[in-house]
Amino acid sequence: MTFQNKKALITGATGGIGKELSINLVNQGVDVCLTGTNLNKLNLLKKKLSSLSNNVKIIIYPCDLSKEKNILNLIKFINKNFSHLDYLFNNAGIFNPKKINKENNRNIEKMFQINVLAPIYLSKHFSLKMKKRKFGRIINIGSSSSYTGFKDTSIYCSTKHALLGFSRSLHDELKSHNVRVLSVSPGTVNTKMAKKIK
């Protein structure tokens, strides 16, 4: 399978997994849109990726996925710059381990908005054109927490359980259109996020 001229969106592109995804895609000739909340980090990543290949299009868009209006603006930006999307990597996520009685409601809502609702909103939009083109891959980055639970991580585990259920259901809904929805659930990865675990 050739990846040249394919187009991908990677959320959470400046994190550990997001960077590696970006590097691998660009090395295979995929045009990428990279999102994250830190513009400086996005620019540095774009510079690094540009040194790997001159034959791909690399665009960046700083975006806080906890707000629906920002997601809608991201969608407009991608539609303006890419004719379509072949791959959607829902990689962005936040992880704030805390005992449930010490967690405030705003943080609970924010974790669900970024870890669950953002992937749902993006999948809802881009899967429509994927269905029409009879090709698409939606990859949701979950966690081993999608299958179990750990103390002080009840909200995070809840979001990853939700993302897994969404992935399985959406795969069944879209598979007849040659659109595959995959849930990748790695264990602890050596990233800044993982260091929050004590």
Side-chain angles (χ1 to χ4, degrees), residues 20 27 40 51-52 106 116 140 145 160 163 167-168:
E20 294 303 317
N27 279 333
N40 289 334
S51 71
L52 300 177
R106 175 58 193 133
V116 183
N140 295 320
S145 296
K160 293 304 181 180
L163 187 62
S167 302
R168 287 173 166 171

Side-chain angles (χ1 to χ4, degrees), residues 121-180:
Y121 294 155
L122 291 170
S123 299
K124 176 186 176 184
H125 177 82
F126 290 112
S127 65
L128 183 60
K129 193 173 285 189
M130 288 177 176
K131 284 171 62 176
K132 290 179 180 177
R133 297 184 68 249
K134 294 294 182 180
F135 180 84
R137 300 293 182 262
I138 298 172
I139 300 92
N140 295 320
I141 305 300
S143 164
S144 56
S145 296
S146 302
Y147 300 91
T148 188
F150 303 97
K151 68 177 183 178
D152 303 337
T153 63
S154 59
I155 305 304
Y156 177 77
C157 289
S158 298
T159 65
K160 293 304 181 180
H161 274 69
L163 187 62
L164 176 62
F166 172 68
S167 302
R168 287 173 166 171
S169 298
L170 192 60
H171 174 76
D172 197 50
E173 183 176 325
L174 299 177
K175 63 184 180 181
S176 62
H177 302 279
N178 194 31
V179 179
R180 303 286 185 259

Side-chain angles (χ1 to χ4, degrees), residues 28-91:
Q28 295 184 75
V30 178
D31 295 332
V32 294
C33 175
L34 312 173
T35 75
T37 56
N38 189 309
L39 180 57
N40 289 334
K41 288 183 178 180
L42 285 170
N43 279 319
L44 287 172
L45 180 57
K46 180 179 180 179
K47 184 177 179 180
K48 179 177 181 177
L49 296 176
S50 297
S51 71
L52 300 177
S53 174
N54 295 319
N55 300 319
V56 299
K57 184 174 183 178
I58 302 167
I59 56 176
I60 59 174
Y61 189 85
C63 184
D64 176 1
L65 296 174
S66 70
K67 296 179 175 62
E68 183 182 357
K69 66 178 181 179
N70 294 346
I71 296 173
L72 295 176
N73 287 333
L74 169 62
I75 289 170
K76 290 178 183 176
F77 176 79
I78 294 169
N79 288 337
K80 181 179 178 181
N81 286 274
F82 286 163
S83 59
H84 64 278
L85 207 64
D86 299 285
Y87 306 108
L88 168 59
F89 289 87
N90 288 309
N91 172 65

